[in-house]
Amino acid sequence: QEYTALKLKVTEWAPKAAEALKGKLPEGANVYLCPATLRPETMYGQVCCFVGPALKYGVFKAAENEYFVITERAAKNMAYQGIFEKEGVIEKAADIVGSDLIGTLVNAPLSVHKEVYVLPMDTVLATKGTGVVTSVPSDSPDDCAMMTELAKKPEFYGIQKEWAEKEIVSVIKTPTSDLLAPYLVKKLKINSPKDAKQLLEAKELAYKEGFYQGIMNYGDFKGEKVETAKPKVRQQLIDAGDAFAYSEPENKVVSRSG
Ligand code: ZZB
């Protein structure tokens, strides 16, 4: 699987994260949360950054003064993809649990929302991508269901309600809707992030319709087909230093069967 890994720069640590990282990073170090996405063209619609509250993350040195918050598993993969300064070398500056990251503020490249919060999502898998996920509720049914859940029970999740209530703008238009994920969530009667079966169905529909019938409704490629805009947005992000290519080793097995 070839992902685009985004660099969401930390602008303010949540108090627990600041405490956990105290004295472990050089003064003035740039630290990024790096979500892996298959939909770079939707980055205009990012509203938050998800971590698994129970997952273990590391703060890994990528280059001089540059650190990535990702899972150890992702760091091991990145070390062999020319992403880190030293090939094959993993330098971990600190450990941190997902729950301590909640409430951290990060910059979201390309998003209509310049700064977004780190919020919890229990369904984030430790075994996929970087264990960090950027939330685009306009086009991802999982994200849409989770944002509703977070805004419904902020105390339960230990967050401020406003953190989960950033405006959802239309990024892509399709024949059925300008906000495909919320449309599908409603249509398939998805009431919570636990409706796994319907969410999977909604995700598959959203991928298909978004890719084959989607027209960009925001940004530099507004009016273009998603199919053609996708690589262009990705390249823009990479050229700006806001993203990099990241692939999963399983890739080889998958592509062998076509
Ligand atoms: C932003 C985005 C916008 C995404 C969208 C999807 C969609 P997959 O394998 O088919 O689920 N993701 C990445 N890593 C993880 C993880 N560790 N645990 C849970 N979810 C993860 O596709 C990968 C997508 O799943 C990624 O792309 C990411 O969410 C999420 F509009 O990034 B995506 C219809 C989907 N739309």
Side-chain angles (χ1 to χ4, degrees), residues 1 3 36-39 42-43 121 123-126 128-134 136 139-141 143 203 206-207:
Q1 210 47 296
Y3 288 101
T37 180
L38 294 178
R39 303 287 309 272
T42 67
M43 295 300 102
M121 178 151 92
T123 52
V124 172
L125 300 167
K128 188 161 108 181
T130 56
V132 180
V133 179
T134 190
V136 185
D139 293 275
S140 163
D143 298 355
K203 182 164 90 169
Y207 268 126

Side-chain angles (χ1 to χ4, degrees), residues 21 23-31 59 61 63-67 93:
L21 300 176
K24 296 189 174 165
L25 295 167
E27 191 75 32
N30 294 318
V31 188
V59 184
K61 186 171 180 186
E64 207 46 51
N65 230 27
E66 206 170 291
Y67 293 80

Side-chain angles (χ1 to χ4, degrees), residues 109-147:
L110 285 191
S111 178
V112 295
H113 304 293
K114 215 176 152 22
E115 287 191 311
V116 300
Y117 287 93
V118 177
L119 298 176
M121 178 151 92
D122 287 323
T123 52
V124 172
L125 300 167
T127 51
K128 188 161 108 181
T130 56
V132 180
V133 179
T134 190
S135 176
V136 185
S138 55
D139 293 275
S140 163
D142 290 297
D143 298 355
C144 179
M146 193 63 210
M147 295 320 296

Side-chain angles (χ1 to χ4, degrees), residues 206-219:
Y207 268 126
K208 255 190 226 140
E209 183 161 336
F211 187 71
Y212 294 107
Q213 299 187 278
I215 304 287
M216 296 303 295
N217 203 22
Y218 198 96

